[in-house]
Every structure is written in structure tokens, then in C-alpha cells.
Amino acid sequence: IDFLRRELENRRQGLCPNTPHYFREFEENLQSGIDHCRRLADRFAAEEKDRFLSELDKLREKFDATRSA
């Protein structure tokens, strides 16, 4: 997510040659990865699952904030 944020900022400044398609694909892949991890959490013990899902929620919030910035 930090990489994406830096790349988007560089793109806004004209310092990144990546296309909008690249960023859409990157965001889709990142979103798919978060969703995949959420599904894997069902295999964890309850306490670990709650902590893991909480961290995923934080990542999702950071991701959403990066996308809307």
C-alpha cells in the first residue's frame, strides 16, 4: 500500500511512466490479496483470527485512503 501511495504521488507529479491501467490492475490485485487473506482467516484460532482480521481492516482502510487521496 505504501508503494502504491508513492507511485500514485509520483504519477501526479509526472515522475512515473506507469499508465492508469497499471494502477487499476495493481489495485485490483491488492484488493484480491486482501480478500484472499480474509478467507484464509477462517483457518485460524478465534483469538488469532480476530487479531488478523483487525489488521486486515486497518490495511483496507489505508488502501481506501490511498485510493481516494
Side-chain angles (χ1 to χ4, degrees):
I1 294 172
D2 292 332
F3 173 79
L4 176 60
R5 183 179 42 79
R6 285 190 306 270
E7 287 293 294
L8 287 169
E9 183 59 34
N10 287 338
R11 175 88 174 141
R12 287 183 195 106
Q13 295 176 10
L15 303 173
C16 179
N18 293 325
T19 65
H21 173 74
Y22 166 84
F23 290 105
R24 277 191 306 275
E25 186 174 355
F26 190 98
E27 289 176 351
E28 289 169 4
N29 289 337
L30 187 56
Q31 205 162 17
S32 292
I34 292 171
D35 293 341
H36 177 72
C37 289
R38 185 170 291 286
R39 288 188 301 274
L40 289 177
D42 288 334
R43 300 179 184 178
F44 296 171
E47 184 178 314
E48 291 174 352
K49 179 180 177 178
D50 291 342
R51 187 174 52 242
F52 185 75
L53 290 174
S54 175
E55 291 300 316
L56 280 178
D57 288 340
K58 290 176 189 175
L59 285 173
R60 172 73 70 178
E61 289 171 10
K62 190 174 181 180
F63 175 62
D64 290 342
T66 297
R67 293 173 63 200
S68 63

